[in-house]
Amino acid sequence: MHSLRLNVLLTTLSLLSPLAIEPAHAQEAATPAEARAIAKEAYIYGFPMVDNYRVQYSYFVDKNGPEFKATWNRAGPANSDSSLSGFSA
């Protein structure tokens, strides 16, 4: 049993040791064209998530806003002027 544990430990260390001693290499600075491409991809990826949060905030959190519908987990309208007047809370 002791030799099995020692064997597992040595195998694990031998597999992990190249990861521990590998030096980190600094990246070269991006060219303006590369930076622009990275920014474009980040915008395309991030905009829908940020816009979704904006819409959710205006619908469910900002009670004084014109787009407010109801608080979280409520099916009914926030007031009688809402277009969801057919629902009940």
Side-chain angles (χ1 to χ4, degrees), residues 5-71:
R5 274 195 240 154
L6 181 61
N7 217 2
V8 170
L9 177 64
L10 291 176
T11 303
T12 304
L13 289 176
S14 68
L15 291 174
L16 294 178
S17 62
L19 299 175
I21 61 173
E22 185 68 31
H25 299 286
Q27 291 182 333
E28 296 179 19
T31 65
E34 291 172 331
R36 196 172 296 111
I38 292 169
K40 181 179 178 181
E41 289 176 15
Y43 182 82
I44 290 169
Y45 175 78
F47 179 79
M49 291 184 286
V50 173
D51 193 51
N52 184 34
Y53 178 77
R54 179 192 61 81
V55 170
Q56 287 188 32
Y57 181 85
S58 66
Y59 282 6
F60 307 117
V61 178
D62 186 14
K63 292 183 180 180
N64 296 324
E67 295 292 323
F68 183 75
K69 306 295 183 207
T71 57

